[in-house]
Amino acid sequence: MKIATFNINGIKARMPRLTEWLEETRPSVACLQEIKSQDDGFPASDFEGLGYEAIWHGQKSFNGVAILVDAKAGYQISEVQRGLGIDGPKEGEGEQSRYLEADVTDANGHTTRVVCIYLPNGNPQPGPKFDYKIAWMARLRERMRAIWEEEVPAAVLGDYNVIPEDDDVWSPKAMANDALMQPESRAAYARLLADGWTDAVRTLNPRGGVWTYWDYQSGAWQRDHGFRIDHVLLSPTLADRLEAVGVDREHRGREKASDHAPVWALFSR
DNA sequence: ATGACTAATAGCATTAGA
């Protein structure tokens, strides 16, 4: 089983790149963030044509998450929960579409809990958006603890919008004031790891230096000015089966690419 | 230096991203 996460930055604008990536790398499960599409506009039939079954939690203009499974390879998906029950930072806007949780069953009947998240960015900080980010992380931790109690194999993956350590960014100094690496953001992420969740990419790359995002501006891609904010967190039984991780960097360099690259984790079954 | 790109929606710029 190969589980992947990809912040696609607009599903309409990215469909050609997304299609290529699915055909070339064929993940068993793909978590997508920032689909920036309402539920009605989601191209489910295009994914069906590629052999993928999807569930999605859309929103107009911003945010939006989806989970795809390789139906052609025998995977099935069943939604467990959408949303964490937390309102956005603006008065009366309601909940943003950032959380989608499902059970994924393989051809042999083995089920894995898969949680696709798009954690709030939190800039500018300090301010209400940063407060929202920290509150969202607290709610996420509560939900992850509940999943932990279920003792199911689980992966919580997506765009965490947190740079966990200084060696996860090309220049800690350049990013020092960003919400992505504030001590509060890092502490909230560290609490998830302290709870027992395994950071798959960090575990297999203990020296850091792995990037998953490069800004569109200032030639960041050409200069390799990136950082790691897309993470794959694993429950113990799933972590035991972890065989490899990777970042599909090459896809970041293509025409009309997302500013994020896909991140994947491979398991023994 | 509070910019530079990019996407979406709805203008004939603004918001948001990170």
Side-chain angles (χ1 to χ4, degrees), chain A residues 107-175:
Chain A
N108 296 317
H110 296 117
T111 297
T112 304
R113 181 70 54 84
V114 175
V115 183
C116 175
I117 69 162
Y118 175 46
L119 208 146
N121 170 297
N123 281 306
Q125 72 81 29
K129 289 188 176 180
F130 188 71
D131 296 342
Y132 169 57
K133 175 187 192 136
I134 299 302
W136 204 95
M137 293 185 81
R139 292 303 293 270
L140 175 66
R141 186 185 184 207
E142 285 177 18
R143 181 59 197 154
M144 286 172 71
R145 288 172 83 103
I147 293 169
W148 186 277
E149 295 292 317
E150 292 187 48
E151 298 184 338
V152 291
V156 182
L157 65 166
D159 181 353
Y160 278 73
N161 268 318
V162 175
I163 297 168
E165 309 279 348
D166 280 354
D167 60 10
D168 290 313
V169 55
W170 67 279
S171 167
K173 195 176 169 184
M175 295 293 290

Side-chain angles (χ1 to χ4, degrees), chain A residues 56-268:
Chain A
W56 58 96
H57 185 197
Q59 184 177 342
K60 189 178 182 180
S61 302
F62 310 109
N63 309 316
V65 287
I67 305 175
L68 314 183
V69 297
D70 188 351
K72 210 157 77 177
Y75 288 89
Q76 294 182 310
I77 187 164
S78 170
E79 183 171 324
V80 173
Q81 181 175 321
R82 55 178 57 201
L84 285 170
I86 181 166
D87 287 342
K90 285 183 182 173
E91 185 68 31
E93 74 170 300
E95 179 155 23
Q96 299 180 346
S97 298
R98 298 180 174 275
Y99 183 95
L100 192 56
E101 177 180 336
D103 276 329
V104 174
T105 304
D106 69 14
N108 296 317
H110 296 117
T111 297
T112 304
R113 181 70 54 84
V114 175
V115 183
C116 175
I117 69 162
Y118 175 46
L119 208 146
N121 170 297
N123 281 306
Q125 72 81 29
K129 289 188 176 180
F130 188 71
D131 296 342
Y132 169 57
K133 175 187 192 136
I134 299 302
W136 204 95
M137 293 185 81
R139 292 303 293 270
L140 175 66
R141 186 185 184 207
E142 285 177 18
R143 181 59 197 154
M144 286 172 71
R145 288 172 83 103
I147 293 169
W148 186 277
E149 295 292 317
E150 292 187 48
E151 298 184 338
V152 291
V156 182
L157 65 166
D159 181 353
Y160 278 73
N161 268 318
V162 175
I163 297 168
E165 309 279 348
D166 280 354
D167 60 10
D168 290 313
V169 55
W170 67 279
S171 167
K173 195 176 169 184
M175 295 293 290
N177 292 321
D178 198 286
L180 308 195
M181 55 177 284
Q182 292 311 298
E184 284 173 278
S185 310
R186 286 182 163 182
Y189 184 79
R191 276 193 285 274
L192 303 177
L193 304 186
D195 284 344
W197 295 87
T198 295
D199 179 335
V201 173
R202 167 60 70 169
T203 298
L204 297 185
N205 298 274
R207 294 174 189 274
V210 177
W211 316 149
T212 68
Y213 171 91
W214 295 258
D215 202 297
Y216 286 128
Q217 304 179 65
S218 311
W221 167 248
Q222 288 74 12
R223 297 175 180 181
D224 199 26
H225 288 180
F227 39 85
R228 187 173 74 100
I229 52 175
D230 300 276
H231 307 307
V232 180
L233 265 53
L234 306 174
S235 71
T237 51
L238 202 50
D240 286 346
R241 284 160 37 203
L242 180 64
E243 290 192 328
V245 297
V247 178
D248 293 330
R249 280 179 64 108
E250 185 262 322
H251 288 258
R252 175 63 182 83
R254 297 191 184 186
E255 286 293 316
K256 299 282 283 180
S258 169
D259 39 7
H260 295 250
V263 180
W264 52 265
L266 183 67
F267 302 92
S268 53

Side-chain angles (χ1 to χ4, degrees), chain A residues 33-54:
Chain A
Q33 302 87 34
E34 282 205 88
I35 64 174
K36 296 184 175 179
S37 162
Q38 295 183 88
D39 282 343
D40 289 347
F42 190 83
S45 58
D46 291 336
F47 291 126
E48 270 177 43
L50 295 165
Y52 280 90
E53 182 186 351

